[in-house]
Amino acid sequence: MTNEPQDWLEAELQDSLDEDYELELEDAVLSREIKQIYRDTHPDQMDRKQYFKNLLHLQSELIKLQDWVSHYKEKVVVIFEGRDSAGKGGAIKRITQRLNPRVARVVALPAPSDREKTQWYFQRYVPHLPAGGEIVLFDRSWYNRAGVERVMGFATEPQVEQFFDDVPEFERMLVRSGIRLVKYWFSVTDEEQQMRFLMRIHDPMKQWKLSPMDLQSRVRWEAYTKAKEEMFERTNIPEAPWYIVPGNDKRRARLNCIDHLLSLMPYTEVPHEDIALPERVFNPDYERDVLPRDLYVPQKY
């Protein structure tokens, strides 16, 4: 009997690790040939056991950060930009994996509607900014104008120029309002992006990630590079600098990004009330109804 609580806790921890492993399987559903090519081109990948150990430690710190943000009504915005397939989504998943979605939420806006195209450019992003006690992670952001919209011709050069004039002051306004603004650029090499696109093409569970815009990013690699360089030059302001995350090794990129994000926040432990599970109240007159079988999900597994 004395081992029962320990066995229960062990099962819970194992379930938590299984969740991590399921996320890692996103990188593993590949043909043997593609797997071998990937291993050959990534000989120095971090050991999975070491990766999980570091990830769990950093995620426990993220929970402390979340509690601090919630307790002190802090406002945090984290922007994730970068090359297609550079690993932004994977980093965001690991950051939010164990956090309360009421505190930490992800914003990934679709292409603007006809109505939104007539608005002030930043208008559709403003409603998603955090209130006190919230963390918002933008999976791509207003920097679409400096990147994909510019390269693909969805924005005119005068519109791009107006964006560059406006965005530094817009971000200074956010910072002055009390928002802690962090901007990450995930970077991969030309060869690494090509490898990841080929993996998506050959992986039926990842083909949905390939859009016409993604494929065009291969054709227009140099145009994206020039756009990125000008974006850094004109939007890297002291109040909201850019931070570049080398992304060729996905595991290291995730860990380094989380560790760096934590280092930017002056979070501390916050007081917690002791939690006690109340006793279950039993009503002798209550009898649970027997529900029809067709209401239950079939037990196939």
Side-chain angles (χ1 to χ4, degrees), residues 153-171:
F154 299 147
T156 65
E157 278 305 309
Q159 287 176 321
V160 173
E161 199 60 33
Q162 186 67 56
F163 170 80
F164 281 135
D165 288 343
D166 292 346
V167 72
E169 186 53 32
F170 174 68
E171 291 181 352

Side-chain angles (χ1 to χ4, degrees), residues 83-97:
R83 299 277 188 183
D84 292 312
S85 80
K88 302 179 296 296
I92 291 169
K93 281 180 185 176
R94 274 66 181 190
I95 290 171
T96 59
Q97 184 181 359

Side-chain angles (χ1 to χ4, degrees), residues 129-146:
L129 294 173
E134 294 179 350
I135 302 169
V136 175
L137 298 93
F138 280 94
D139 186 353
R140 297 205 179 278
S141 65
W142 44 85
Y143 282 100
N144 276 339
R145 175 132 296 178

Side-chain angles (χ1 to χ4, degrees), residues 46 51 54-55 58 91 95 184 186 243-264:
M46 178 179 280
Y51 165 70
N54 287 311
L55 179 64
L58 291 171
I95 290 171
Y184 286 115
F186 277 69
Y243 298 104
I244 298 172
V245 181
N248 276 16
D249 186 325
K250 290 182 178 181
R251 292 174 186 168
R252 286 189 172 91
R254 294 163 190 163
L255 298 178
N256 289 329
C257 180
I258 297 171
D259 181 70
H260 182 263
L261 177 61
L262 290 166
S263 74
L264 296 177

Side-chain angles (χ1 to χ4, degrees), residues 1-264:
M1 291 294 289
T2 55
N3 287 332
E4 281 185 10
Q6 186 176 348
D7 292 344
W8 173 83
L9 182 58
E10 220 171 271
E12 285 294 303
L13 288 171
Q14 186 60 50
D15 188 56
S16 182
L17 287 171
D18 287 346
E19 186 180 351
D20 286 313
Y21 187 65
E22 284 168 15
L23 278 177
E24 287 302 301
L25 282 177
E26 292 182 354
D27 303 327
V29 187
L30 301 166
S31 69
R32 286 184 181 179
E33 293 80 5
I34 296 289
K35 275 186 185 177
Q36 191 56 52
I37 293 170
Y38 191 79
R39 288 194 189 109
D40 292 344
T41 54
H42 297 76
D44 301 322
Q45 260 205 317
M46 178 179 280
D47 172 71
R48 175 172 284 170
K49 186 176 180 181
Q50 187 65 31
Y51 165 70
F52 279 143
K53 180 181 177 182
N54 287 311
L55 179 64
L56 287 170
H57 167 69
L58 291 171
Q59 288 179 331
S60 70
E61 291 298 311
L62 283 170
I63 292 171
K64 294 178 187 175
L65 171 64
Q66 169 189 260
D67 292 344
W68 174 79
V69 167
S70 183
H71 183 78
Y72 290 105
K73 302 302 178 189
E74 292 285 338
K75 296 176 285 187
V76 178
V77 169
V78 189
I79 286 174
F80 293 83
E81 296 285 348
R83 299 277 188 183
D84 292 312
S85 80
K88 302 179 296 296
I92 291 169
K93 281 180 185 176
R94 274 66 181 190
I95 290 171
T96 59
Q97 184 181 359
R98 304 187 191 286
L99 301 184
N100 184 344
R102 294 185 180 89
V103 176
R105 55 188 166 86
V106 179
V107 175
L109 298 184
S113 65
D114 289 340
R115 179 176 181 274
E116 287 172 330
K117 288 175 184 177
T118 67
Q119 294 175 341
W120 174 51
Y121 178 69
F122 298 97
Q123 190 168 337
R124 76 191 195 113
Y125 294 99
V126 170
H128 300 282
L129 294 173
E134 294 179 350
I135 302 169
V136 175
L137 298 93
F138 280 94
D139 186 353
R140 297 205 179 278
S141 65
W142 44 85
Y143 282 100
N144 276 339
R145 175 132 296 178
V148 64
E149 290 187 19
R150 184 182 197 182
V151 173
M152 297 302 297
F154 299 147
T156 65
E157 278 305 309
Q159 287 176 321
V160 173
E161 199 60 33
Q162 186 67 56
F163 170 80
F164 281 135
D165 288 343
D166 292 346
V167 72
E169 186 53 32
F170 174 68
E171 291 181 352
R172 289 188 187 105
M173 288 171 62
L174 297 183
V175 173
R176 286 198 299 268
S177 76
I179 289 175
R180 297 179 183 273
L181 177 60
V182 184
K183 302 186 302 196
Y184 286 115
W185 176 272
F186 277 69
S187 177
V188 289
T189 60
D190 189 351
E191 296 77 13
E192 180 67 16
Q193 188 188 57
Q194 181 174 0
M195 168 66 70
R196 292 184 185 179
F197 277 177
L198 288 172
M199 289 168 66
R200 288 180 179 183
I201 289 170
H202 292 282
D203 182 354
M205 295 184 73
K206 281 190 174 183
Q207 284 177 1
W208 65 269
K209 291 186 175 185
L210 279 174
S211 70
M213 295 299 107
D214 295 333
L215 299 176
Q216 279 298 312
S217 70
R218 288 299 302 153
V219 177
R220 306 182 191 218
W221 174 274
E222 291 182 7
Y224 272 102
T225 300
K226 290 177 183 176
K228 174 198 72 174
E229 289 169 350
E230 184 174 1
M231 181 188 77
F232 282 167
E233 182 181 346
R234 301 184 65 176
T235 64
N236 186 44
I237 59 175
E239 297 87 348
W242 279 103
Y243 298 104
I244 298 172
V245 181
N248 276 16
D249 186 325
K250 290 182 178 181
R251 292 174 186 168
R252 286 189 172 91
R254 294 163 190 163
L255 298 178
N256 289 329
C257 180
I258 297 171
D259 181 70
H260 182 263
L261 177 61
L262 290 166
S263 74
L264 296 177

